[in-house]
Amino acid sequence: MNISTMTRGSLACIALAAAAAFGGCGTPATEEPRATGTSGRPATEGSSDTLVAEGQQIFRFETFGDEQVWTDALRLHEVVQNSVDPVTALKVGLKVDADVLPAGILEKVDLTSPATTVALLKMNAVVGIQATVDSDNHITQLGVTCALCHSTVDNSVMPGIGRRMDGWPNRDLNVGAIMALSPALPADKKAVYASWGPGKYDPRYNQDGKSTPLVLPPAYGLARVTNETYTAEGPISYWNAYVAVTQMGGQGNFSDPRLGIHVSHSPDMVTHRLPALRAYQHSLPSPPPPAGSVDAPVAARGRVLFDRTCASCHVGGSGTDNNNGKLHTPAETGMDGAYAARTANKAYRTTPLRALWQHPPYFHDGSAATLPDVVAHYNRARTLGLTADQQRDLVEYLKSL
């Protein structure tokens, strides 16, 4: 794949599956071919502490050599150095890791100066961005990591600045606005990127030129999930390889004949890192709901309703029938089929439900703003016949997951 192709859409890391998608029975998934870069270890197999620690470093700091896109092709290092002050960076959803900041530094620096952004990059404080800064404080190389889209911070210092929370989707991140800053992109491409809005990204735009952006999903709670993508193309290392190579611009190998994609680099800087990356992602638990945020008796009533109306697809209380090979046509669940039509399987998997309180909006396209909207949608689409009180009970149960 040449550089001009890569620049048509090269962000998003590990667009795994999330949101709420529960409904009736589905159609069997076709057997999927293994793509180069996938790894076959079962999701339930344990991982050593050493492998998990290595994966954390990869997740947070590894660019896979994608500087060739972000620096050489898109020239975003020039934009950041000259035009992006910390206030602007926070407005587009970038996060700052407070644990690496010297005590009291934020009171001493000019947050409206791009030079402060360069200083933050030099101390490796901007989550998901790696930069090389020379002795004259010029950015010579800039790349992105998985954490850009799939980590946030706890805002313990101020909004956008705090301790890292890996696996939490950065729904403040305006990927399109960041891409549109590139001086190397034509106006029509910038217009597409600008249309996505915060918390969304299209991981196939640079493959087919179409735009149906997805909400950035969480990367936690995946240890017992067979396929992590909205449309179940493959397991977690499949998607990690796809995104690292075809979206981030990493120097690695990825091949999927179903999609007509074959990318090869030498040396391959991606494939050997996939097992550790997967081990770390599988180690990330779903965050529990905040204390006191769920009415337990109401949620108990909602669970009875869930077991009756939703559990045939959300197997095991909050899982997915895709672990048993099922997929769903868009018509089955009332979903917009535009994104599915662009994928290998042309259908959606049932999304495992985890920490739903934490990551609105819901569905692959963010079309449900709240959990009540999710329940109302399926009450209509699946003709569940739930009363208003029953829908409220079901919502309370979903908040508990």
Side-chain angles (χ1 to χ4, degrees):
M1 179 175 291
N2 59 38
I3 295 298
S4 62
T5 302
M6 288 298 308
T7 59
R8 290 167 54 193
S10 45
L11 189 52
C13 190
I14 326 161
L16 314 170
F22 52 92
C25 296
T27 55
T30 57
E31 183 176 348
E32 56 187 25
R34 263 191 204 283
T36 300
T38 63
S39 182
R41 188 170 63 174
T44 55
E45 184 177 329
S47 301
S48 70
D49 291 344
T50 300
L51 193 66
V52 170
E54 179 186 350
Q56 181 189 70
Q57 292 298 302
I58 294 169
F59 183 87
R60 291 181 175 184
F61 305 119
E62 181 57 57
T63 66
F64 307 107
D66 65 22
E67 289 87 352
Q68 57 96 25
V69 167
W70 302 98
T71 303
D72 300 342
L74 295 180
R75 295 163 49 198
L76 282 176
H77 66 304
E78 300 173 10
V79 176
V80 171
Q81 180 169 299
N82 297 326
S83 306
V84 180
D85 57 75
V87 172
T88 300
L90 293 173
K91 282 183 179 179
V92 296
L94 293 175
K95 306 296 182 181
V96 175
D97 182 357
D99 285 338
V100 304
L101 297 179
I105 190 173
L106 295 178
E107 290 75 32
K108 301 175 183 177
V109 298
D110 183 1
L111 297 180
T112 64
S113 169
T116 303
T117 301
V118 175
L120 291 170
L121 287 167
K122 191 172 184 177
M123 66 179 69
N124 205 19
V126 182
V127 175
I129 296 183
Q130 293 289 288
T132 301
V133 181
D134 65 18
S135 59
D136 295 322
N137 291 320
H138 295 141
I139 301 174
T140 60
Q141 292 286 313
L142 185 143
V144 303
T145 78
C146 301
L148 180 67
C149 294
H150 299 287
S151 289
T152 186
V153 297
D154 64 5
N155 300 324
S156 55
V157 175
M158 60 181 286
I161 304 177
R163 293 181 175 87
R164 286 177 181 262
M165 302 168 72
D166 285 351
W168 292 49
N170 186 353
R171 294 288 172 83
D172 299 322
L173 184 68
N174 196 327
V175 177
I178 294 171
M179 292 288 294
L181 293 173
S182 168
L185 292 174
D188 59 334
K189 298 290 190 304
K190 292 187 178 186
V192 172
Y193 295 134
S195 72
W196 292 350
K200 289 188 174 182
Y201 176 78
D202 191 316
R204 301 183 190 274
Y205 174 60
N206 70 326
Q207 301 299 317
D208 60 15
K210 300 176 182 179
S211 178
T212 56
L214 309 177
V215 293
L216 296 174
Y220 50 59
L222 296 172
R224 299 185 182 277
V225 178
T226 299
N227 295 314
E228 282 74 13
T229 68
Y230 288 112
T231 50
E233 271 87 358
I236 195 167
S237 290
Y238 167 95
W239 195 248
N240 285 345
Y242 173 85
V243 173
V245 176
T246 75
Q247 302 302 294
M248 292 167 63
Q251 301 299 284
N253 298 334
F254 179 85
S255 180
D256 189 338
R258 299 170 301 173
L259 300 172
I261 299 173
H262 178 72
V263 184
S264 179
H265 290 100
S266 182
D268 178 356
M269 301 174 66
V270 175
T271 302
H272 69 283
R273 293 186 166 100
L274 295 176
L277 179 58
R278 177 190 58 214
Y280 181 58
Q281 290 166 303
H282 281 174
S283 79
L284 298 174
S286 300
S293 64
V294 177
D295 187 320
V298 176
R301 294 199 303 267
R303 178 163 189 169
V304 173
L305 294 167
F306 183 93
D307 289 343
R308 189 183 80 200
T309 60
C310 311
S312 61
C313 293
H314 288 288
V315 179
S318 61
T320 172
D321 54 4
N322 185 247
N323 281 0
N324 298 323
K326 288 187 177 180
L327 290 172
H328 301 265
T329 66
E332 287 181 74
T333 51
M335 292 289 101
D336 186 317
Y339 179 73
R342 302 166 61 198
T343 68
N345 290 328
K346 316 300 182 187
Y348 296 115
R349 64 148 201 185
T350 299
T351 299
L353 308 181
R354 60 211 191 277
L356 298 181
W357 61 273
Q358 187 270 318
H359 58 84
Y362 303 96
F363 302 142
H364 69 282
D365 56 2
S367 56
T370 66
L371 287 175
D373 292 336
V374 170
V375 172
H377 169 87
Y378 279 112
N379 197 41
R380 294 188 302 269
R382 301 297 300 167
T383 319
L384 300 179
L386 299 176
T387 68
D389 286 343
Q390 288 175 322
Q391 291 183 58
R392 284 192 288 271
D393 292 348
L394 185 52
V395 167
E396 199 67 15
Y397 174 65
L398 295 177
K399 288 166 54 180
S400 75
L401 299 175

